[in-house]
Amino acid sequence: APPTQRASCAPGSSRAPPAWQIFNKQGVCLYYREWNRPSPPSDIKQDQKLMFGFLFSLKQLVAKMSPKKCARRPTCTGSPLRAPVCDHIHGVRRGGVYGCSTNTFKLNYYEPPSGLRFILTTDLSAGDMRESLRHIYSNIYVEYLSKNPLWKPDEELTCPLFTQTLERYIATISP
């Protein structure tokens, strides 16, 4: 079992995360799950676009502010959404976005080498959720979707086994 942080995010609890999202490289939301969001958006699709745009802009800002450069610049072949951050492609870490906080919730972010974007919101008291997000990617997403011959990449994630396993795991990282 991976090292986990205790987070107040059990599905159905009063302190559940407002939302859990997975985006593909192009910014299409493949999975969206809302639990106890204080004020649900009137337009979910617009909310998803705003979230992806926010993270895209934040990553670009962090990349421009980072003092380290990719060892292969200017010949780096990273995708436009990943450039200029080349930390996963060439093993050169330039810094990155792992999360941010507002006055009401904490946004936790993980982007594996596949370019997918995993976003989990928790309450402000939650610790660093990177290991939990890595576990979700490698032990749940990869096992139940990537290895599933019936699943097609970049399609909405509707596999019941994936959803059930994800929700069970999220409950384990809750108090």
Side-chain angles (χ1 to χ4, degrees):
T4 59
Q5 296 291 324
R6 304 297 287 174
S8 299
C9 58
S13 76
S14 63
R15 300 186 74 180
W20 167 254
Q21 300 173 67
I22 301 173
F23 289 95
N24 69 7
K25 295 180 208 178
Q26 292 76 32
V28 175
C29 188
L30 303 176
Y31 184 79
Y32 181 85
R33 176 71 164 95
E34 205 173 275
W35 283 280
N36 196 23
R37 192 166 178 175
S39 56
S42 57
D43 183 355
I44 296 289
K45 294 290 183 195
Q46 182 64 23
D47 191 58
Q48 293 168 353
K49 287 179 187 178
L50 288 171
M51 176 62 77
F52 185 81
F54 168 72
L55 288 169
F56 180 83
S57 298
L58 188 58
K59 278 186 61 180
Q60 294 300 311
L61 175 67
V62 168
K64 288 180 182 182
M65 292 175 59
S66 177
K68 297 179 184 175
K69 300 229 184 271
C70 175
R72 294 192 181 177
R73 286 301 234 179
T75 61
C76 175
T77 58
S79 74
L81 293 178
R82 293 182 61 84
V85 179
C86 303
D87 55 344
H88 294 101
I89 297 171
H90 308 301
V92 178
R93 183 148 313 273
R94 291 192 62 206
V97 176
Y98 305 110
C100 63
S101 298
T102 70
N103 60 348
T104 57
F105 68 91
K106 181 177 177 184
L107 183 141
N108 302 276
Y109 176 77
Y110 176 63
E111 183 178 343
S114 65
L116 293 168
R117 286 143 171 94
F118 290 75
I119 302 160
L120 174 67
T121 52
T122 59
D123 66 46
L124 293 171
S125 66
D128 184 355
M129 300 298 290
R130 284 183 281 178
E131 286 303 315
S132 295
L133 290 171
R134 283 185 191 113
H135 175 81
I136 289 167
Y137 172 71
S138 60
N139 294 49
I140 300 173
Y141 180 87
V142 169
E143 292 299 319
Y144 293 99
L145 294 173
S146 295
K147 293 181 179 181
N148 181 346
L150 301 175
W151 176 72
K152 295 178 183 138
D154 291 332
E155 284 190 358
E156 186 176 348
L157 308 181
T158 58
C159 174
L161 195 53
F162 167 77
T163 303
Q164 293 163 2
T165 306
L166 176 64
E167 290 201 14
R168 267 196 318 270
Y169 179 72
I170 287 176
T172 68
I173 59 174
S174 302

